[in-house]
Amino acid sequence: MAAELPRALKAAIDRELAGASRRDLADRTAATTEAYRAGRGSASVIKGREDALAYALARLPATYAACGAVFAEARRTAPDFAPRSLLDAGCGPGGGSWAAREAWGSLDAIAWFDASAPFLDLAKRLAGDDLAATSTRGDLAAGPFPRADLVLASYALAEISPAAQPRVVASLWAATEGLLAIVEPGTPAGYARLLAAREALIAAGATILAPCPHHLACPLTAPDWCHFSVRLPRSRDHKLAKGAEVPFEDEKFAYLLAARPGVATEPRAPRVLARPKAGKPGIELKLCTEPGALERRFVPRRDKAAHAIARRLDWGDAL
């Protein structure tokens, strides 16, 4: 099922788009995409209100969808976790905060932290009276961050210099009272950033909830990397901004969920690392398992009970 934006957020985006030039937004979106492909951060292109709006039109739905998928897994692995406070570090226009509020109705205090004034201003306008948050403009590499039950850094580490990333991860973890969620692009570079964060968090005493079912070395080897996918619908304006015809988008993302020792969690389970391959004889699954090994498991059709379970599995699910 495609990940739909909340109705209030869609209405707020539509209000922002009223009277805006779709051609201008498409040009600004293209400039942002070019900057990312060239290895530059959003600060190099998000200079004003129109740039922030173009970014939100093109990227906020994907950010919301990826964070929503990660938070769904957080709810599965830690079903009793009910955060009251959220720190959205590198919040951009606030898509991750909307996803968190949809996942946990218990949230009543949201703190935004971002270096971009245009992003923070847009986040406030989109929130209106539907999402109460306080905002702080600051450099993620410098902090400091307020403590929160749930800490989110979505598509934020890519904006920070490699030398500063370990310090930022340590600061995010220090601010975490319960769960830390880090979401990155589903690229080899995003995966590499998460591997480094994972190693540091384990050394700091964190429990890795997902996607890894273990604390051992990642069993994947290049050119393979750990990432997942979520499908989201494209509105007419979204398609125009991205120059796309297809009515949906598949957002590739990588993520890490880390918990403080006091958070109650479900037992570990193998993770499906690719779309299951179904054929007449049965279904083949690519799994990351609890012993820290990569396994290809074949579930024959003749084993009706196991096959029925395998048929319901998708990329990213826990077995």
Side-chain angles (χ1 to χ4, degrees), residues 86-92 94-97 110-114 150-154:
L86 164 69
L87 165 63
D88 191 346
C91 63
S97 294
I110 297 174
W112 288 330
F113 193 105
D114 203 286
L150 173 66
V151 174
L152 169 66
S154 65

Side-chain angles (χ1 to χ4, degrees), residues 125-150:
R125 295 197 304 275
L126 293 178
D129 296 328
D130 295 292
L131 192 71
T134 59
S135 61
T136 300
R137 186 181 178 191
D139 182 358
L140 259 67
F145 301 130
R147 296 179 69 84
D149 298 330
L150 173 66

Side-chain angles (χ1 to χ4, degrees), residues 155-246:
Y155 299 87
L157 291 184
E159 301 275 336
I160 301 165
S161 70
Q165 287 170 22
R167 183 171 68 253
V168 172
V169 170
S171 296
L172 292 170
W173 180 240
T176 302
E177 299 278 3
L179 288 185
L180 169 63
I182 304 177
V183 186
E184 284 288 297
T187 62
Y191 163 66
R193 287 189 289 270
L194 287 176
L195 275 186
R198 178 181 184 269
E199 183 177 352
L201 289 168
I202 291 172
T207 298
I208 303 300
L209 297 190
C212 318
H214 58 81
H215 282 176
L216 302 173
C218 178
L220 295 176
T221 56
D224 201 0
W225 73 97
C226 186
H227 66 293
F228 306 94
S229 180
V230 62
R231 177 159 291 186
L232 56 134
R234 282 180 172 143
S235 67
R236 178 176 175 274
D237 286 322
H238 191 182
K239 288 190 289 184
L240 287 172
K242 303 198 79 169
E245 296 294 334
V246 180

Side-chain angles (χ1 to χ4, degrees), residues 20 22 51 65 77 108 132 145 158 162 167 185 222 224 276:
R22 288 353 185 224
D51 298 322
T77 53
D108 56 18
F145 301 130
R167 183 171 68 253
D224 201 0

